[in-house]
Amino acid sequence: MVDDSGTGDPAHGAESGEDAPQEVKRRLRRALRGARRARYAGDAGARRREEEASRILAAASGIVADVAEEVARADRDPVLVACFRPLPTEADVMPLARALAEAGAGILFPVATGGEELDWVLWDEDETAFAPSPADGFGAEPTGDRLGAGALATTHLVLAPALAVDRSGTRLGHGGGYYDRALAPARVRVVAVVHPTEVLAAGALPREGFDRPVAEVLTAEGLERVGDGTGA
Ligand SMILES: Nc1nc2c(c(=O)[nH]1)N(C=O)[C@@H](CNc1ccc(C(=O)N[C@@H](CCC(=O)O)C(=O)O)cc1)CN2
Ligand SMILES: Nc1ncnc2c1ncn2[C@@H]1O[C@H](COP(=O)(O)OP(=O)(O)OP(=O)(O)O)[C@@H](O)[C@H]1O
């Protein structure tokens, strides 16, 4: 039934497109990106980010211990962890990536394919060069053999970038849908990594059918379970 009452019924706004989830997400992304630039751009922002990177590493000690245990248990293929090469105003996960590599994990980074999917490259700290991605907005990405778009299905853990996460487990990314697509077929522990102010109240972010919830969120303030902690 079409609501033409003009009374402010939420269904009315949804039907006219005003509060469609994609529109709400767009507005939230704009605000969150602005807040990120204000807090993390420039010299003072870079210092804040660097100081937070060591606290992110400390907060992730349980993750590093879990991965080290998995490495000790696994007697065959390498234990893989997907990470991301942070853009200058994203939370800096590189010290954590190095710690996970030292614990014996193989670290994957996403690369653009030119299409709707991401591909994944295995990182070697001493050998792998990062070069600017040919795709807009992707930042630097590693050069090297590509493992294929399905690589997350074989990972032990995915550290996912986000602009924000809410306490029901909904993750808001940059809007490409890349992580939602990559995670759709993968039953894997997903930990989003964001700045402390980007962990929002449950329900603050709209969730659509294809949005893949996360089980945990990692910030400089700690590692927090969100939703029911299973990523459901
Ligand atoms: N460090 C890092 N690497 C990453 C990601 C990330 O979020 N962080 N990605 C995570 O997926 C992928 C790249 N993400 C991208 C996501 C969207 C757009 C993009 O062009 N977005 C549009 C629409 C944004 C909007 O609707 O607000 C745009 O900016 O015009 C580009 C890259 C892979 N690598
Ligand atoms: N599993 C999927 N299969 C096909 N298309 C998808 C899937 N998931 C998301 N999309 C498409 O991607 C678009 C962007 O999704 P969304 O706004 O949730 O991105 P995001 O989660 O912020 O971005 P990202 O995952 O790259 O960080 C959606 O409008 C949808 O059309």
Side-chain angles (χ1 to χ4, degrees), residues 99-174:
L100 292 167
E102 267 166 41
I107 310 296
L108 304 183
F109 282 90
V111 294
T113 60
E116 290 192 330
E117 310 235 282
L118 293 175
D119 208 331
W120 301 89
V121 169
L122 190 60
W123 176 62
D124 178 323
E125 191 178 352
D126 300 321
E127 299 287 327
T128 307
F130 280 83
S133 172
D136 255 5
F138 274 64
E141 59 186 30
T143 51
D145 292 344
R146 298 183 169 212
L147 304 186
L152 293 196
T154 61
T155 55
H156 177 64
L157 168 71
V158 174
L159 299 173
L163 280 169
V165 173
D166 78 16
R167 291 194 162 93
S168 68
T170 304
R171 166 187 168 277
L172 180 72
H174 282 287

Side-chain angles (χ1 to χ4, degrees), residues 21-22 25-26 29 116-118 161-163 171-185 206 208-212:
Q22 284 297 327
K25 287 182 177 182
R26 240 194 311 277
R29 283 191 192 103
E116 290 192 330
E117 310 235 282
L118 293 175
L163 280 169
R171 166 187 168 277
L172 180 72
H174 282 287
Y178 295 103
Y179 271 82
D180 293 321
R181 270 185 227 100
L183 291 169
E208 297 178 86
F210 49 74
D211 281 318
R212 172 72 151 79

